[in-house]
Amino acid sequence: MRKSESHYVCNNCGYESDKWFAKCPMCNELESAVEYNTADVTINTGNLKVPDIVFLDQELPPAKKIPTNFQEIDSVLNGGLVEGAVYLLSGDPGIGKSTLMAQIANSIQATEGFAFYVSGEESTEQVVQRFNRLEIKNKNIGLIFENNVDVILKAMEKSNITPSVIFIDSVQTLKIDSIDSSPGSILQVRESTRKMVEYAKKKNIPIVLVGHVNKEGAIAGPKVLEHMVDCVLQMELEGGSGLRLLKVTKNRYGPTDEVVLFEITQKGLKPIDNINSFFLSDYSNESGNTLTIVKVGQKLLPIEIQALVSNPVYGSPRRVTSGIPLDRLLMIIAVLSKKLKLPLESKDIFVSSSGGLRINDSSMDVAIALSLISSIFDAPLSFSTIAFGEIGLDGRIRGIPLLEKRLELSQKIGFNNIVIPKKLSTRKNSIVFAESVKDLIKLFKKGG
């Protein structure tokens, strides 16, 4: 028996219904219904391929990986690209997604060493110019300029070449002729991705898809897109530093929260070699400056926190941050004002992390507090000091994770004067134990 059904899908939010609708009941968009005919399904159990049952005591071969020979990418992906896996690389326009894909395609050296690079949004001249700028002249990279999924798959089959990896730039340009919707619509993105996922699993070839983001910073297209792929990589621009932060937000074959920092150059994206000293290169022990060690993904990074406290220029005092969460700063200001009677609430306050690196780690609370105290007194600490600890609403300094590793990194980069929560370590020379914010002000009194 053969069965054919028609569904109607909202082209704006992805809502599905068996009946046509003039107005989407989910997003209230008018005339957004697109008819979608499902493929005929043959219901015949005699012709079905029955899968083997797998038991937990069976020894299964590990997933085969293709090293990219791009050290930082292999580290983030826990060894390389998994055969048959689908990866989604997303980021803002102009951030370097296409450049990074071109560099990865050039560095891969698998058994065949051949890669297909599919471009659906750029002309031949634009892509070739990018490869020339990056000085990539790899003969094992095949370029396909097409956005029709069926034509792309047919072109690869016709070539009689089994590539190691397929790169597609971008998923929002793909289309399937049988779907009455424009490229980039929710239905086209979903079904095009589904077809590429099926191809990757069938041929056991990893596919890397480039995805755009919307104005809110989320991946454009249906939310199901992130569930369909095996790994999601997101590129972000880090404040005024111009750095590109690549992080893993989903990974079925390894850990998430891995990050790598790149700087953009004329010859492409260059990983930062000595990341431990990158954000400290311009540090000086002036008033308002304090060092700390924060956790970004799985990495511990030493950075500088700068604060400036001044009299308000306008009527109402301003709070301006760069890289530091504003709500975290407001909480620290309130605690210092109440517990230490500092006149911070009536001042203009500017706080920044070195390079504008966006941080969401509460262990930097003590460093922010020291920078604020240092700036309002216009007095630096006696010595270059690294401080970490979380400040509670009661003014007490709370414990933080990975304290021992932060201590080791502090000494590794040449800093022995460290401020930490009192209850988490035994007394050592040059280590100051701070139990509450009242202990922080004593550091300045002691220093004169």
Side-chain angles (χ1 to χ4, degrees):
M1 182 175 67
R2 301 179 68 84
K3 183 180 179 182
S4 180
E5 295 182 354
S6 293
H7 297 281
Y8 294 91
V9 181
C10 175
N11 204 25
N12 184 54
C13 70
Y15 170 79
E16 293 188 22
S17 174
D18 293 336
K19 298 180 179 180
W20 181 84
F21 48 87
K23 180 179 180 181
C24 176
M26 291 293 292
C27 66
N28 297 325
E29 186 77 9
L30 295 173
E31 298 181 357
S32 61
V34 177
E35 184 177 2
Y36 172 56
N37 295 316
T38 58
D40 289 344
V41 178
T42 301
I43 305 175
N44 187 345
T45 56
N47 295 329
L48 292 177
K49 182 180 179 181
V50 180
D52 296 329
I53 299 176
V54 178
F55 296 94
L56 294 178
D57 59 349
Q58 291 181 233
E59 290 188 8
L60 298 176
K64 294 183 179 180
K65 296 187 177 181
I66 301 175
T68 66
N69 296 303
F70 204 137
Q71 183 178 352
E72 289 72 19
I73 300 297
D74 285 338
S75 176
V76 164
L77 297 180
N78 197 29
L81 300 172
V82 177
E83 292 185 354
V86 179
Y87 297 80
L88 178 63
L89 174 63
S90 68
D92 292 324
I95 202 170
K97 303 184 297 296
S98 300
T99 298
L100 181 61
M101 282 224 309
Q103 290 180 251
I104 295 175
N106 183 53
S107 63
I108 285 180
Q109 296 176 357
T111 306
E112 297 292 336
F114 201 91
F116 280 128
Y117 187 101
V118 181
S119 178
E121 59 185 7
E122 292 182 305
S123 65
T124 305
E125 292 76 13
Q126 289 174 314
V127 175
V128 172
Q129 283 179 6
R130 178 185 301 114
F131 277 81
N132 290 336
R133 175 174 57 84
L134 299 175
E135 298 181 356
I136 296 176
K137 298 180 180 179
N138 194 334
K139 296 181 180 179
N140 289 340
I141 299 177
L143 304 179
I144 300 176
F145 300 92
E146 180 60 54
N147 67 342
N148 188 302
V149 174
D150 295 317
V151 175
I152 293 170
L153 297 180
K154 188 174 181 179
M156 289 189 289
E157 292 291 339
K158 187 179 178 180
S159 69
N160 294 323
I161 297 174
T162 302
S164 301
V165 189
I166 298 171
F167 300 90
I168 297 180
D169 188 7
S170 66
V171 68
Q172 276 81 18
T173 64
L174 296 180
K175 69 174 183 177
I176 297 176
D177 286 339
S178 59
I179 298 176
D180 185 18
S181 182
S182 60
S185 66
I186 285 179
L187 190 57
Q188 284 282 15
V189 170
R190 188 187 69 184
E191 295 306 314
S192 297
T193 303
R194 191 189 307 281
K195 205 157 190 176
M196 297 309 300
V197 170
E198 290 175 357
Y199 184 83
K201 305 301 181 187
K202 180 181 177 181
K203 298 293 185 178
N204 210 28
I205 301 173
I207 296 179
V208 182
L209 304 170
V210 165
H212 300 309
V213 297
N214 54 30
K215 60 183 180 182
E216 288 81 21
I219 299 174
K223 193 66 178 176
V224 71
L225 177 62
E226 298 174 56
H227 296 287
M228 293 169 65
V229 300
D230 299 295
C231 181
V232 178
L233 303 167
Q234 192 154 2
M235 289 188 73
E236 297 178 353
L237 182 64
E238 284 302 322
S241 64
L243 296 178
R244 271 62 172 174
L245 176 68
L246 179 68
K247 62 182 181 180
V248 180
T249 59
K250 172 189 174 180
N251 191 359
R252 289 174 178 163
Y253 302 101
T256 59
D257 240 7
E258 291 285 352
V259 297
V260 59
L261 283 167
F262 295 96
E263 57 180 337
I264 191 73
T265 67
Q266 184 65 25
K267 295 183 179 181
L269 293 167
K270 179 182 177 183
I272 297 175
D273 296 326
N274 192 0
I275 197 169
N276 287 338
S277 61
F278 183 84
F279 294 103
L280 305 182
S281 57
D282 296 325
Y283 169 74
S284 61
N285 188 27
E286 302 290 338
S287 60
N289 296 350
T290 309
L291 298 176
T292 187
I293 294 177
V294 295
K295 185 172 181 289
V296 180
Q298 297 296 323
K299 295 182 183 293
L300 290 177
L301 301 181
I303 65 163
E304 178 186 358
I305 301 293
Q306 293 183 327
L308 175 62
V309 180
S310 62
N311 292 323
V313 178
Y314 304 102
S316 301
R318 292 186 297 165
R319 308 285 184 258
V320 180
T321 63
S322 177
I324 307 295
L326 180 60
D327 56 350
R328 203 75 201 171
L329 173 63
L330 295 176
M331 185 274 290
I332 295 172
I333 292 173
V335 171
L336 295 181
S337 298
K338 185 175 180 62
K339 299 297 180 180
L340 302 183
K341 309 301 180 185
L342 296 177
L344 291 170
E345 294 177 338
S346 60
K347 302 288 186 179
D348 276 349
I349 296 178
F350 306 85
V351 178
S352 174
S353 62
S354 51
L357 182 70
R358 281 178 286 183
I359 308 167
N360 193 17
D361 185 355
S362 60
S363 66
M364 65 180 171
D365 288 357
V366 171
I368 295 175
L370 284 172
S371 293
L372 292 172
I373 297 171
S374 173
S375 181
I376 197 171
F377 287 157
D378 196 19
L381 288 161
S382 302
F383 303 97
S384 296
T385 301
I386 286 185
F388 27 80
E390 179 182 347
I391 296 177
L393 295 177
D394 56 359
R396 297 180 64 83
I397 298 177
R398 302 173 181 270
I400 57 172
L402 304 175
L403 177 59
E404 292 298 329
K405 290 186 177 181
R406 295 178 203 252
L407 289 171
E408 291 175 6
L409 181 55
S410 301
Q411 295 170 346
K412 180 180 178 181
I413 60 178
F415 293 89
N416 293 315
N417 299 290
I418 308 169
V419 179
I420 64 173
K422 183 175 182 179
K423 63 180 180 180
L424 294 184
S425 181
T426 57
R427 180 169 293 279
K428 295 179 182 178
N429 294 332
S430 73
I431 293 183
V432 178
F433 305 112
E435 198 168 4
S436 72
V437 292
K438 293 180 180 179
D439 295 327
L440 301 182
I441 199 106
K442 295 176 183 177
L443 298 176
F444 295 92
K445 290 181 180 179
K446 185 177 179 180

